[in-house]
Amino acid sequence: MTRIDFHSNVPQKIAYVCRLVRKARAAGTHIVLRARDRAELQQLDQALWSFSEQDFLPHVTAGDPLAAQTPIILTASDEIELPHHQVLINLSGQTPANFARFERMLEIIAADDADKAAGRDRYRFYKERGYPLSHHVAA
């Protein structure tokens, strides 16, 4: 069953996610980043390339011919087939259709009221279905 970790009160979601990805990659984890839309997908792409001069965070978009060999996959859609099902980092503000395929999912919740409300709804949804949940408040 998918383990779900909520990270709430996140001031800058993209920078926060880059730090999470760096940590997960250091542990050898394969990651899928689920963005809200194409604009956020482009922000993630740029941020992962420029986030750190010391860290290489290789990534491609879902559907790319190199996706199966690349440890970080970016997507803004639930419709496309994904090559990895280890960790899903959700920035979309919605419940991903395929989240149950993953070993672990991280829900990233911003500090604004709309994102918090949507996050609470998703938390209830997962809890009602018996998923193991944890909660971390960003510092």
Side-chain angles (χ1 to χ4, degrees), residues 25-47:
R25 280 304 309 141
T29 305
H30 286 81
I31 304 143
V32 173
L33 295 172
R34 172 67 165 87
R36 182 177 309 269
D37 53 29
R38 300 235 4 109
E40 188 173 64
L41 197 67
Q42 290 174 338
Q43 289 177 334
L44 280 167
D45 179 44
Q46 282 291 5

Side-chain angles (χ1 to χ4, degrees), residues 64-132:
D64 186 282
L66 297 175
Q69 297 92 7
T70 306
I72 304 166
I73 305 299
L74 309 179
T75 186
S77 170
D78 284 337
E79 305 302 317
I80 195 156
E81 187 62 34
L82 299 168
H84 310 308
H85 296 98
Q86 198 170 10
V87 172
L88 172 63
I89 299 178
N90 185 27
L91 294 106
S92 74
Q94 303 171 12
T95 302
N98 57 2
F99 79 91
R101 295 182 187 163
F102 289 83
E103 296 171 27
R104 185 174 179 195
M105 178 171 65
L106 285 69
E107 283 275 3
I108 310 303
I109 313 298
D112 69 80
D113 290 338
D115 212 31
K116 283 184 199 178
R120 285 186 198 106
D121 289 343
R122 291 194 308 281
Y123 189 93
R124 274 191 294 279
F125 174 85
Y126 303 132
K127 186 175 183 176
E128 289 169 358
R129 286 154 182 78
Y131 286 93

